[in-house]
Amino acid sequence: MQALNVHDLNNTRKAQLDLVFFNRVPKVGSQTFMELLRRLSERNNFQFHRDAVQKVETIRLADEQQHELAEVISDLPEPSVFIKHVCYTNFTKYNLPTPIYINVVRDPVERVISWFYYVRAPWYFVERKAAFPDLPLPHPAWLKKDFESCVLSGDQECTYTQGVTVEGIGDHRRQSLFFCGHAYECTPFNSVGALERAKYAVESQYSVVGVLEDLNTTLSVFEKYIPRFFEGVREIYDTSAEYLTKINKNNFKPPVSEQVKDIVRRNFTNEIEFYQFCRQRLHKQYLAAHAHLPDLLSPHLRP
């Protein structure tokens, strides 16, 4: 077995800002992680910032918008956390100091099922209409769709055609897009090019990418690699787990058969590979942290 190099797995030490940027992927438990960060901000004395809810969510930005976002984040007081649904943004490109990047991923097929029912949940539309009264309501036939029938009937919404690009938050299938970045090459669904770009960003830029299905490992790695912000996260989670696991939970989501999931997985090959890559890296970080904890952190990143 190849020896784990703790420094190669630790990007926290490279950060030039005492600021965590959580460019959160939707439907990966990110509401739970936001609540954890909000509580941690009180415990560990840092500021908590999240982007306002938007009528139309744009995650892939033009160059000027990327620059503006990087400047806004760079101008925040330190220490702070900033949270937004947006693709990875290269601060160095604009001669700005780099933050501590974090994110979370989820099994891509489970995530796409979760999204399918999330956008059809009654409370979702109540919240959206309250925030944006002029939003039109969707067609009843669309609301009544179920995922299994959608897949088995060949409905375009559940076909997941290889190499196709759909702009905006609506193309929720591409978990890797949040790591690949804003380039057009990141947009085709399930492409090898987007996969490799996303892997490179995780390996070279992200301090920690957690995995929803490995929550205990994720919380431990966050606490070990970014203690200035995450010290005490496991204690907070353990004392409030029942509440935290219910945040944004969709009780309207019916079970989906393994047969249908297997059909979908055939078109998610590269997205699944990216998920497994993140999962493997997380476990390497966990092993390295417990084997080499004294060497893990630069002095200014210790609590």
Side-chain angles (χ1 to χ4, degrees):
M1 179 178 171
Q2 185 179 1
L4 293 172
N5 186 323
V6 67
H7 287 288
D8 288 347
L9 292 165
N10 174 28
N11 289 329
T12 309
R13 61 193 171 87
K14 300 177 184 176
Q16 298 164 321
L17 289 172
D18 195 14
L19 189 149
V20 167
F21 183 12
F22 179 18
N23 68 312
R24 66 187 182 113
V25 176
K27 306 314 300 171
V28 297
S30 59
Q31 292 280 358
T32 297
F33 282 96
M34 281 204 301
E35 177 61 17
L36 283 170
L37 282 164
R38 188 191 65 76
R39 296 186 184 194
L40 285 165
S41 70
E42 298 172 0
R43 175 191 175 115
N44 295 336
N45 193 30
F46 60 84
Q47 291 194 21
F48 177 90
H49 306 270
R50 61 168 296 186
D51 194 35
V53 176
Q54 298 175 27
K55 186 175 181 179
V56 178
E57 194 89 55
T58 303
I59 59 171
R60 198 170 71 89
L61 307 178
D63 187 74
E64 184 178 340
Q65 295 171 307
Q66 293 175 54
H67 192 175
E68 182 180 334
L69 174 66
E71 286 187 330
V72 166
I73 294 171
S74 298
D75 287 341
L76 291 174
E78 300 179 64
S80 286
V81 163
F82 184 80
I83 303 168
K84 178 178 172 64
H85 286 311
V86 69
C87 295
Y88 165 74
T89 303
N90 185 349
F91 283 57
T92 305
K93 177 180 176 182
Y94 305 107
N95 296 314
L96 292 169
T98 54
I100 302 166
Y101 256 108
I102 67 166
N103 216 321
V104 182
V105 295
R106 178 182 187 178
D107 177 287
V109 174
E110 296 295 341
R111 179 178 166 270
V112 83
I113 295 168
S114 180
W115 179 274
F116 181 91
Y117 286 110
Y118 171 69
V119 295
R120 288 171 166 81
W123 50 265
Y124 174 81
F125 288 104
V126 170
E127 290 181 357
R128 294 287 291 169
K129 284 293 281 186
F132 309 105
D134 59 330
L135 274 180
L137 288 172
H139 193 280
W142 183 86
L143 285 173
K144 291 177 182 177
K145 276 189 194 180
D146 73 274
F147 188 77
E148 291 202 347
S149 300
C150 187
V151 170
L152 295 173
S153 67
D155 189 307
Q156 187 176 359
E157 184 180 0
C158 306
T159 302
Y160 312 112
T161 306
Q162 306 298 283
V164 166
T165 289
V166 180
E167 290 290 12
I169 197 73
D171 193 8
H172 52 84
R173 306 164 297 172
R174 301 170 297 170
Q175 185 167 227
S176 62
L177 178 63
F178 286 80
F179 303 86
C180 179
H182 302 271
Y184 181 77
E185 290 76 11
C186 296
T187 61
F189 174 64
N190 201 51
S191 74
V192 174
L195 166 68
E196 294 306 322
R197 281 174 177 246
K199 280 183 176 180
Y200 178 76
V202 169
E203 208 158 43
S204 63
Q205 304 300 323
Y206 279 79
S207 177
V208 178
V209 175
V211 176
L212 182 61
E213 291 82 359
D214 288 332
L215 190 57
N216 287 334
T217 303
T218 293
L219 296 180
S220 178
V221 171
F222 271 126
E223 192 165 26
K224 297 290 187 185
Y225 280 73
I226 321 174
R228 172 67 187 84
F229 292 86
F230 283 94
E231 184 182 38
V233 67
R234 287 176 295 176
E235 179 186 340
I236 290 174
Y237 183 82
D238 289 344
T239 56
S240 307
E242 185 176 353
Y243 166 73
L244 290 167
T245 53
K246 290 179 180 177
I247 295 177
N248 230 21
K249 185 175 181 180
N250 186 0
N251 294 319
F252 296 92
K253 185 177 76 171
V256 176
S257 71
E258 286 302 312
Q259 176 193 6
V260 168
K261 289 179 184 178
D262 284 341
I263 292 170
V264 175
R265 286 187 185 109
R266 294 171 198 161
N267 281 0
F268 274 74
T269 51
N270 290 315
E271 287 294 320
I272 291 169
E273 182 176 334
F274 176 70
Y275 166 74
Q276 295 294 356
F277 169 82
C278 292
R279 194 168 189 169
Q280 183 181 46
R281 180 177 184 260
L282 180 75
H283 282 268
K284 283 181 180 179
Q285 287 181 307
Y286 179 85
L287 292 172
H290 286 78
H292 303 282
L293 186 56
D295 304 320
L296 184 62
L297 297 168
S298 301
H300 74 284
L301 292 171
R302 295 187 182 118

